[in-house]
């Protein structure tokens, strides 16, 4: 028996005869949808044999097929309605999701989808998570998204298929995560976000471990306002546009300089958080705004270091002719401050491993965790760099 919705693809068995038997065609209604029950023609009897189930005359054969078709249709309707209910059902709140039984920490498997390795900060972030997993003897499946959003989506879907116990995501972009997070929820797999958030309902993940990105941008803006007495012509090197970190660092900086009418952003362009692109964008903007620029605000240290190379190539002195402030506080930034080329950096700690696994252990034990945990940071200036560089873990 085959089911086919009215208006669907045609079936060659409909209304045709083959092998000496006519096809029996009836219309039924399942869940308000008219369907056709099609009993396919039986194959011809083998030469010299007669099938024992064959009715003795056409009338009895038609009655027999009608009864069989009605019974099968009833079963088919019940199955179709059940499938429709599952397809249209919506996931409940996080508290409604079926939880797996708590496991020993040594038994859990974690799937970690990392953005990529686009910067010194990101490499340090991955290292912190991997080292902490090894220290606690917890199995970690690591997937490098290579800075491609769809790679991360595919990796997380793979973790769901494998049936890992907890999924950790450091998202490249904040958008496009809802369907995948819903699938994880249906599977009863808790999700933890680290380093960045996503644009999705909060009941689709357990918690997010992030820095206060608005605060970081605000600190950079306030530092620059103080150093320039509220008068600056600024180039802003933005991170990945679709990432919440870029949006928030931009908003915080704009908020700070809005208090100073003589502080203007004369150009704002994405450097995608990379040193190479930061340099290329800065070269273009220096050429386009020759003699106008006296400050650079970069959303991360790697773009700032690329901008410094471009400033030097243009025959200018970074840190003096053009002030440079950025975010992350990685060790190469401290080296640049010691050399007098970078003026200040706002810390965004990459060491998420210990806090992340403390959180994972609580989730594995069935404990509740805060929906949002802020990883604290501070501002480092050039005159502090020499004394503190040995303390920087990355």
């Amino acid at each position: 028996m085959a089911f086919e919705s009215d208006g669907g693809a045609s079936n060659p068995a409909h209304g045709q005869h083959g092998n000496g038997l006519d096809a029996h065609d009836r219309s039924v209604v399942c869940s308000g949808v008219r369907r056709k029950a099609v009993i396919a023609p039986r194959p011809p009897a083998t030469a010299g044999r007669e099938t024992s189930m064959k009715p003795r005359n056409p009338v009895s054969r038609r009655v027999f097929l009608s009864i069989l078709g009605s019974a099968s249709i009833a079963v088919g309707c019940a199955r179709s309605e059940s499938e429709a209910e599952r397809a249209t059902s919506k996931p409940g709140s996080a508290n409604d999701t079926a939880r797996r039984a708590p496991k020993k920490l040594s038994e859990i498997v974690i799937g970690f989808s990392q953005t990529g390795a686009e910067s010194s900060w990101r490499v340090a972030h991955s290292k912190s998570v991997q080292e902490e997993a090894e220290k606690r003897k917890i199995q970690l499946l690591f997937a490098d998204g290579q800075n491609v959003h769809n790679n991360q989506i595919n990796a997380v879907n793979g973790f769901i298929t494998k049936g890992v116990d907890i999924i950790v995501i450091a998202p490249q972009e904040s958008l496009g995560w809802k369907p995948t997070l819903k699938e994880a929820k249906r599977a009863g797999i808790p999700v933890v976000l680290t380093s960045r958030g996503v644009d999705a309902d909060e009941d689709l993940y357990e918690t997010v471990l992030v820095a206060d990105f608005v605060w970081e941008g605000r600190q950079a803006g306030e530092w620059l306002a103080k150093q320039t007495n509220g008068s600056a012509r600024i180039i802003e090197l933005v991170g990945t546009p679709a990432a919440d970190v870029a949006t928030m660092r931009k908003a915080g900086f704009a908020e700070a300089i809005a208090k100073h009418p003589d502080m203007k952003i004369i150009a704002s362009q994405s450097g995608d958080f990379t040193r190479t692109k930061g340099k290329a964008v800065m070269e273009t903007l220096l050429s386009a705004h020759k003699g106008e620029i006296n400050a650079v605000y970069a959303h991360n240290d790697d773009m700032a270091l690329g901008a410094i190379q471009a400033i030097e190539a243009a025959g200018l002195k970074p840190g003096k002719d053009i002030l440079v402030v950025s975010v992350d506080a990685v060790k190469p930034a401290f080296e640049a401050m010691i050399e007098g080329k970078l003026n200040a950096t706002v810390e965004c700690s990459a060491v998420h491993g210990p806090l992340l696994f403390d959180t994972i252990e609580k989730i594995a034990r069935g404990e509740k965790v805060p929906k949002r945990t802020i990883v604290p940071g501070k501002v480092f200036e050039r005159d502090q760099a020499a004394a503190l560089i040995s303390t920087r873990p990355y």
Side-chain angles (χ1 to χ4, degrees):
M1 164 135 339
F3 283 100
E4 191 172 67
S5 175
D6 284 354
S10 61
N11 189 321
H14 284 194
Q16 294 182 12
H17 301 275
N19 302 323
L21 292 176
D22 62 324
H24 179 57
D25 189 341
R26 296 186 52 173
S27 293
V28 297
V29 176
C30 296
S31 301
V33 179
R34 180 165 296 276
R35 297 178 180 270
K36 293 179 181 178
V38 181
I39 299 177
R42 285 169 45 194
T46 305
R49 294 180 55 189
E50 191 173 51
T51 305
S52 61
M53 290 294 292
K54 181 178 179 181
R56 293 182 178 275
N57 59 67
V59 174
S60 62
R61 180 174 71 248
R62 185 173 296 278
V63 172
F64 170 77
L65 293 176
S66 296
I67 293 170
L68 179 61
S70 298
S72 299
I73 290 164
V75 174
C77 282
R79 182 173 66 249
S80 179
E81 288 170 357
S82 175
E83 289 171 350
E85 287 172 2
R86 286 198 299 270
T88 57
S89 64
K90 295 180 180 179
S93 67
N95 294 331
D96 296 333
T97 303
R99 295 286 183 184
R100 302 177 182 188
K103 287 185 176 182
K104 294 179 182 179
L105 296 176
S106 59
E107 296 175 342
I108 68 173
V109 178
I110 298 169
F112 176 31
S113 172
Q114 176 61 283
T115 296
E118 76 281 0
S119 64
S120 303
W121 190 98
R122 189 60 61 184
V123 172
H125 181 251
S126 295
K127 184 178 179 182
S128 173
V129 173
Q130 291 168 319
E131 288 182 347
E132 195 65 25
E134 185 176 353
K135 177 181 176 182
R136 303 193 192 203
K137 295 179 169 50
I138 295 176
Q139 185 178 355
L140 181 73
L141 305 181
F142 180 86
D144 184 339
Q146 299 179 326
N147 302 313
V148 178
H149 175 68
N150 285 341
N151 287 351
Q152 288 198 279
I153 295 291
N154 292 337
V156 173
N157 286 334
F159 292 149
I160 295 170
T161 301
K162 283 183 172 71
V164 301
D165 298 291
I166 294 174
I167 294 173
V168 177
I169 306 172
Q172 164 77 3
E173 299 179 6
S174 59
L175 299 174
W177 282 102
K178 290 180 184 178
T180 300
L181 293 179
K182 286 179 180 178
E183 286 303 315
K185 184 175 178 180
R186 289 189 187 100
I189 304 175
V191 173
V192 176
L193 306 175
T194 175
S195 82
R196 297 174 185 171
V198 296
D199 181 13
D201 296 336
E202 288 189 350
D203 66 345
L204 295 178
Y205 56 88
E206 293 296 313
T207 187
V208 55
L209 311 178
V210 290
D212 187 339
F213 302 132
V214 174
W215 177 86
E216 292 168 352
R218 190 185 302 125
Q219 292 301 303
E222 290 177 355
W223 179 90
L224 189 58
K226 184 178 179 180
Q227 297 301 312
T228 62
N229 294 317
S231 179
R233 297 294 179 267
I234 308 159
I235 292 294
E236 180 182 30
L237 297 179
V238 181
T240 304
D244 65 342
V245 56
T247 302
M248 294 180 183
R249 284 177 182 169
K250 183 177 182 67
F253 186 79
E255 176 190 317
I257 68 171
K259 302 172 185 176
H260 306 278
D262 290 332
M263 295 187 74
K264 303 290 184 183
I265 297 176
I266 62 174
S268 179
Q269 192 168 323
S270 173
D272 273 338
F273 288 125
T274 69
R275 189 178 303 197
T276 300
K277 194 164 181 182
K279 179 184 178 183
V281 170
M282 192 65 197
E283 286 172 345
T284 300
L285 295 178
L286 280 170
S287 177
H289 302 280
K290 196 169 185 178
E292 298 179 53
I293 304 163
N294 66 351
V296 171
Y297 164 50
H299 286 198
N300 79 338
D301 289 337
D302 277 74
M303 289 190 296
L305 295 172
I308 286 170
Q309 293 175 336
I311 293 168
E312 289 181 314
L316 300 169
K317 293 183 178 180
K320 185 175 180 181
D321 296 330
I322 298 178
L323 301 185
V324 184
V325 59
S326 57
V327 182
D328 276 352
V330 298
K331 186 172 283 188
F334 275 70
E335 293 169 351
M337 286 194 290
I338 291 172
E339 295 171 355
K341 298 176 181 180
L342 180 69
N343 299 90
T345 182
V346 182
E347 183 183 37
C348 177
S349 177
V351 185
H352 285 207
L355 178 59
L356 174 64
F357 280 92
D358 285 346
T359 302
I360 285 171
E361 290 187 0
K362 289 178 182 178
I363 294 171
R365 291 194 296 264
E367 298 177 20
K368 289 189 175 182
V369 295
K371 186 56 70 174
R372 186 180 182 87
T373 300
I374 297 297
V375 181
K378 59 181 70 174
V379 179
F380 295 102
E381 296 183 279
R382 186 165 57 186
D383 58 4
Q384 299 172 289
L388 295 175
I389 190 169
S390 62
T391 69
R392 304 310 296 166
Y394 54 91

